[in-house]
Each structure stands twice: as C-alpha cells, then as structure tokens.
Amino acid sequence: MTFAARGDERLLPREMKWTSVASCLVFVSLICLRFALQYEQVGTLYLEDDAYYYTVIAQNIAHHGLSTFDGQTLTNGYHPLWLVLLVVQDLTIGASPYATVLIELILVTAGLWLFLASFRTRAVLFQIIFAVSFALLAWPMIMKGMEVSLLIFALGLFTKMAVARWEGRDNATTLGLAAVLCIGARIDSAVFVLPMMLFVSGSLRRTLPALVPVVLVGALYAGVNLFVFGLPFPISGSIKSLGGLQLNRALLDQAAAYWHGPDTLRDTIAFLKSFIGRPLIIFALTLLALAATREGWKSRPLCLGYVVGFLLFALKLTAFSSWAVWPWYAFSALIGLSVIFHVLDDHLARNPPQLDSRVEIAATLMVLLVAVVVLRDGATRAEQSFEPVNLEAVSTFGPIFKEARVAMGDRAGSFAAHYPGPVTQLEGLVNDRAYLQAIEHHADIRPLLCRRGVRFVLSYQKDLGGYQTATVSALKHSLTHYPSPTLTFSRADEVGRVSDLSRYENSSQQDEGDDYLYAWRLSGCDAADVSVSP
C-alpha cells in the first residue's frame, strides 16, 4: 500500500472517505470504551462540577428567561455558545446529562472529521495515529459537560478553513466566521485563532477582511454584556484576573505539587503526564516541527500561529491570572497536535514512503492496542467527583434548610443542580458586578449576603475537630492567592456536616483533602439587612 498524499481538493473527499470514516469509528470506539469503563467504576455519569454552572443557568434561561445562577442576580459567567447550545437542548429534548454527553460525542467526532479533512495524506495509518492521539489528549476534557467539546468542533472547522485560505481555495470571511465560532465556544481561544488567521492570510492587509466578522460580533457581544450585566466580558474572567499584572503563585504551587517525594524522575513523569505537562510537551514538539518546515508549506503558518498563541496563553495564565487551572485548560494541546500532524502531512506530500500493506495493518493494530491499554490504565484511577457528597448533603440538610437560600463556594455546581432552593456562589464566578466589586475592594461580604437573603453557608473543609470558631474563605487559597473575604462561624452556628472518608477521601489525587462538608447558619444578620436586594 502506498503511504501517499495528494493536494487536489476535488479528489480529497472521495479518496479520504473510507479512511476518515474508519478513523472516526476508531475514535468513537475508544471514547465509548473509556466512558463505559468509567461508568462501571463509579456507577454513574461523571460530569465536572463546573458543568453544572452551565446547566443551572441554561435551565433558568429556558424556563424563566433570565441569565441567572442563583435566581436573583444576572450573570454572564460562562462561554456564550456552549450555554446557547444547552438552552436549545433544554427547550427541545430536555436537560438530561446523558443527552449532553451524547451531544458532546457528536461534536467532538465531527471536529475530528474536520481535522482529518484538512490533511492531504489519505493513508489509514496516518489518520488512525492522529485519531488515537487525539482521543488520548481529548479524553480528560470531553464527555464531562464542559465547553471544550464544542470548541473542538469549532477548531476543526477553523483549521480546515485556514488551510483552504492558505491554498487560496476559500475567502477571508469564511475564515473569520470560523474564528467567531471558536471564540464564542471558548473566549480565550482567540489567542490561538487570531495569530493563525494572520499567518495563513500572509499579511495584515489580507487579514482585515477576516477580522471584520470577529470585530463586529465581538463588539456586539461586549456591548450587550455591558448593557445587561455591567461588564463587557464574563465575570468569571474578571474574578480570575483579580490582582492585575502578577506572578500566578497558585498556578506555580499547583505545578510544584507534583514533586513531593524523593523520586524526582517519577514525579517529573507524573507532571509531564498531567494536564499541565501535556501541553508543554506538545509545545516543545511543535517547536521541533516548526524547525523542519519549509517555505510555502501550509504547516509553517499554522505552527507560527500556534507558537505565538501558546506564548500568549501562557502569559495570560502566569501573569494576568491569580487562579489555578483545570483539565479543560489543556485544550491548546489539541491545537498543537493538529499542527504537528500538518508538518508530517507536508513532509509526506513531498516524500511519500512506500509501505507494505501487511506492515501498515500490523502498525495500525499496535497503535490501537497501545491506546486501549492507556485508556484502560486510566480507568483504574477513580474520577474525582464531589456530586455524591453534594447529593448526600441535599438529602441530609433538606429538612433543616427548607429550601432557604444557601451560599457555597467551590463545588457549588452539582449542589445547586440538585438543591430545590436558590444557591449563591461565594467565589463570584457566576455572580454579578456588585459581588465582584465587594471582593475586589476586600469588603465584608456578610452584610451583602444578609441583604440577599442567604440563611446558610456550606463549605468543604478539612476535619475541624473540636473547633470553637471556623473561618471560611470565599476564595480558597489552594485555587487563588488573591486575598479573600472571609466569614467566621462559631460551633453553635453549625447545623450539620457530611463526610464519608471511605467513599470521598481524595488527598491521594493531589486535592486538598478537604473531605468534610460543613453547614453553618449565617448569624449576625440584623433585621434591616435581611431584605432581598440585587
């Protein structure tokens, strides 16, 4: 079998059809296998706790026409297009998390198809290696209710349009609309797609037509947000950038936590395999790939755009953010992977090797075997989910709370999704401008919570033992080093706690080990402070 490539776009769909279908089927099989192993292990569907911020707001929009998490304040703390998709889902087929996961699988598979369509190489081994690598990198970020699945679809479309733009087969407006889709799916993807748009266009003048839809839609989005929410961009981004230009010590601490023992080599490998390390490996490989590109190759502008984007993204996270990161922040690795394979694609187009069919089949089977082993190995490590704890808390505290307003910081998503009453998010990620200003000015938030009708506060803590007083930070120190407002409670304020270390203990997974969920009554609210106000 000839390991070949061909640049004639008219031949591409027909000649690549069966290899692309086979590769997508392999991808779907691997993802479904990993999903089934996870389901068998934990016995339930696992969504990220942050995914419930989306689902709660989407349900409030679908049922009440208000963009609110707590049923009281308007919020824009989300990436817009994923929320729009969830609202449509809620209005059409319902808010089932299983339906959300299925939508994610369809989006990611379609995104993979578009990435494959951007290559000229049609050999099954090349495409399956890409699909398998894509599955291994994507798994920690997809099928968990987050916006990354929509972003992958958008990035696949953008990459296909970018290649077409470089080769003169598409217009600038189409590329600009694909960029709008990427940025709408995840706003910070702009640092990748805009440099790529510039490099594939070849000059700033040729980039301007592609920028028109980006600027117009961006201005409209910012204007509507400013008018409705008082902030031009999501409040979640404003909360995470509190402190301005700085060294993000929370992120550095998060990275340094992997080196905690005498075995430096083992710890280094663990770091490189983590969602922080993987993008760094891909970035290093992209730099090597860039050095191997030649003038006129489509992979060169893609590499340059990715390198610039990665440096901007790294700068944003390390110098303009005060928060730690999560697995879905590793989406940049998927962009880098596609760029690396475009370099290989260009090399194969010029020097197509002759590969015996039996060798190609054997190599393909070996790749699949390695992928299954890696995914199966990952299934032996429990997913970290706080939803069971929050579900137990809803059941335990229900008779005490009686659907009163509750305030909760980290991990409030799944609690709010199951609690029949309203929940105020203490971190402010899905709160409003007034709450942002209170945190920014280091104000006492107790009067504000009292005015908004909060009656109880929930917080994950380590075992407090026989404490007399407990201090709860609205912003956890492990997530951000920005000075946090605090609430102090006495032992008499406690109304209960939930903990089962045999089921929920997570310190071995590099979490804080805060496995006790305490509930306190919010005392100290004067009669004049208890009226609900926005």
Side-chain angles (χ1 to χ4, degrees):
M1 182 179 294
T2 301
F3 199 111
R6 188 171 298 179
D8 190 339
E9 177 67 14
R10 292 172 298 176
L11 298 178
L12 192 60
R14 184 179 70 253
E15 297 199 7
M16 287 187 65
K17 184 176 181 180
W18 82 268
T19 54
S20 295
V21 169
S23 299
C24 287
L25 287 176
V26 166
F27 172 81
V28 171
S29 299
L30 290 174
I31 294 299
C32 288
L33 171 64
R34 183 63 181 85
F35 189 78
L37 292 171
Q38 172 193 284
Y39 194 91
E40 179 185 12
Q41 180 190 31
V42 300
T44 186
L45 184 67
Y46 170 75
L47 296 184
E48 294 286 357
D49 196 77
D50 283 22
Y52 289 102
Y53 294 146
Y54 280 100
T55 59
V56 171
I57 296 172
Q59 289 176 33
N60 282 327
I61 293 176
H63 296 263
H64 307 293
L66 294 175
S67 178
T68 179
F69 176 79
D70 58 16
Q72 181 182 59
T73 59
L74 295 179
T75 188
N76 65 350
Y78 44 78
H79 297 287
L81 287 188
W82 181 238
L83 184 73
V84 169
L85 192 150
L86 291 179
V87 172
V88 172
Q89 177 197 327
D90 197 289
L91 291 172
T92 53
I93 60 177
S96 167
Y98 291 94
T100 302
V101 166
L102 178 59
I103 291 170
E104 285 191 80
L105 181 60
I106 293 171
L107 285 170
V108 174
T109 306
L112 173 62
W113 176 276
L114 291 167
F115 275 117
L116 293 172
S118 69
F119 301 128
R120 288 172 292 180
T121 302
R122 63 179 182 265
V124 64
L125 180 58
F126 175 87
Q127 294 213 347
I128 284 184
I129 290 176
F130 178 78
V132 167
S133 303
F134 198 82
L136 296 178
L137 284 177
W139 169 253
M141 298 178 276
I142 61 173
M143 310 286 281
K144 297 176 182 178
M146 298 298 290
E147 72 281 346
V148 176
S149 299
L150 177 59
L151 175 63
I152 288 173
F153 170 77
L155 287 171
L157 179 62
F158 176 83
T159 302
K160 189 174 186 301
M161 295 299 101
V163 170
R165 175 65 173 158
W166 173 257
E167 296 177 345
R169 295 182 285 103
D170 211 341
N171 59 50
T173 302
T174 305
L175 181 61
L177 291 174
V180 168
L181 184 61
C182 291
I183 299 169
R186 186 172 174 92
I187 293 173
D188 51 7
S189 68
V191 300
F192 292 96
V193 298
L194 294 182
M196 281 187 173
M197 185 188 299
L198 173 62
F199 284 111
V200 298
S201 296
S203 68
L204 181 59
R205 181 184 62 81
R206 296 187 71 242
T207 307
L208 292 178
L211 284 175
V212 170
V214 177
V215 172
L216 290 179
V217 174
L220 178 62
Y221 172 76
V224 170
N225 274 271
L226 188 61
F227 178 76
V228 177
F229 305 104
L231 294 165
F233 300 107
I235 187 174
S236 51
S238 299
I239 290 287
K240 291 178 181 179
S241 61
L242 285 171
L245 181 62
Q246 62 197 292
L247 181 63
N248 189 347
R249 291 178 293 154
L251 176 57
L252 297 179
D253 289 347
Q254 187 180 20
Y258 286 91
W259 288 274
H260 51 75
D263 194 339
T264 304
L265 177 60
R266 183 196 61 190
D267 293 343
T268 301
I269 293 174
F271 170 77
L272 293 176
K273 291 169 62 178
S274 72
F275 62 87
I276 301 177
R278 287 192 299 270
L280 295 175
I281 294 176
I282 296 294
F283 177 68
L285 292 175
T286 306
L287 291 178
L288 294 175
L290 175 59
T293 61
R294 300 179 185 177
E295 192 69 32
W297 286 13
K298 61 178 169 51
S299 56
R300 175 167 289 187
L302 295 177
C303 276
L304 290 171
Y306 169 74
V307 168
V308 171
F310 187 91
L311 293 175
L312 291 174
F313 192 56
L315 180 65
K316 169 186 174 290
L317 293 178
T318 57
F320 293 93
S321 173
S322 55
W323 282 65
V325 296
W326 289 267
W328 51 92
Y329 279 70
F331 71 87
S332 65
L334 296 173
I335 306 174
L337 180 70
S338 72
V339 166
I340 292 169
F341 270 78
H342 270 287
V343 176
L344 295 174
D345 187 43
D346 283 338
H347 272 285
L348 293 172
R350 287 177 172 266
N351 305 291
Q354 301 297 317
L355 199 62
D356 185 86
S357 299
R358 290 170 296 181
V359 174
E360 187 171 20
I361 292 172
T364 300
L365 293 176
M366 182 62 67
V367 169
L368 295 178
L369 177 61
V370 170
V372 170
V373 170
V374 171
L375 289 172
R376 181 65 183 88
D377 177 64
T380 64
R381 297 185 293 274
E383 296 280 1
Q384 183 173 300
S385 174
F386 298 95
E387 187 171 1
V389 193
N390 285 336
L391 279 169
E392 187 173 336
V394 169
S395 175
T396 301
F397 300 138
I400 302 171
F401 292 170
K402 298 178 180 178
E403 300 186 20
R405 179 171 294 278
V406 173
M408 186 176 181
D410 187 36
R411 307 161 192 164
S414 56
F415 181 86
H418 298 291
Y419 179 60
V423 177
T424 294
Q425 214 270 344
L426 280 178
E427 293 172 317
L429 298 175
V430 284
N431 215 300
D432 66 348
R433 180 183 176 184
Y435 194 83
L436 168 65
Q437 292 176 335
I439 293 181
E440 192 173 18
H441 298 146
H442 311 292
D444 181 5
I445 61 172
R446 186 182 293 261
L448 177 60
L449 297 178
C450 288
R451 289 196 300 272
R452 293 186 171 182
V454 173
R455 294 294 174 266
F456 299 93
V457 174
L458 284 167
S459 178
Y460 279 89
Q461 301 282 326
K462 295 180 180 179
D463 183 5
L464 298 177
Y467 72 99
Q468 297 303 311
T469 61
T471 300
V472 173
S473 297
L475 311 177
K476 294 178 65 174
H477 187 72
S478 60
L479 299 182
T480 174
H481 287 199
Y482 186 80
S484 172
T486 59
L487 297 166
T488 301
F489 299 97
S490 68
R491 182 66 178 270
D493 294 324
E494 184 183 328
V495 297
R497 68 185 72 171
V498 170
S499 179
D500 184 346
L501 296 183
S502 65
R503 295 173 60 194
Y504 308 138
E505 200 278 329
N506 53 66
S507 59
S508 63
Q509 300 178 50
Q510 295 187 325
D511 199 74
E512 302 92 315
D514 48 351
D515 309 291
Y516 287 74
L517 179 56
Y518 288 85
W520 291 282
R521 192 180 306 276
L522 185 65
S523 58
C525 293
D526 297 331
D529 292 333
V530 297
S531 60
V532 176
S533 65

